[in-house]
Amino acid sequence: SLYGVLAWGANTVIANVFYLILSSAMILRTDAKLFLATFWLAPLMGLVSYVYGRRAHRACQDVRHHSAALGANQAENIDGARVVAAFN
């Protein structure tokens, strides 16, 4: 259901942000140079994730649209077969 997706999705996002902050703090405390060498990737990863999410969203919308069209076509064909069978 939609509630499950929203609830688990929000839970996952909150947990991942927490883990990112915690692991960043641990790396920064251990080795500042290592932190700086890896932390610059965060905006790049965010951008890639955003672009991928937009494309994936569009692709999912296309799949839903084509699936609905296919289901409607199948329903019309089944109804047509019932009408033909009724006259035989």
Side-chain angles (χ1 to χ4, degrees):
S1 74
L2 184 60
Y3 173 75
V5 171
L6 293 176
W8 285 106
N11 187 22
T12 302
V13 167
I14 292 168
N16 287 343
V17 168
F18 174 73
Y19 292 140
L20 178 65
I21 292 170
L22 183 65
S23 62
S24 296
M26 291 172 65
I27 292 173
L28 181 61
R29 184 168 183 231
T30 304
D31 188 3
K33 288 182 181 179
L34 178 62
F35 174 78
L36 292 174
T38 57
F39 191 70
W40 69 272
L41 290 171
L44 180 63
M45 290 187 321
L47 178 65
V48 169
S49 177
Y50 176 76
V51 170
Y52 174 76
R54 299 282 294 182
R55 289 186 182 184
H57 180 72
R58 275 190 241 122
C60 286
Q61 283 181 331
D62 289 344
V63 167
R64 280 190 301 242
H65 173 73
H66 291 297
S67 178
L70 183 63
N73 188 6
Q74 185 178 14
E76 289 176 8
N77 288 337
I78 291 172
D79 288 339
R82 287 182 184 157
V83 169
V84 170
F87 284 107
N88 282 337

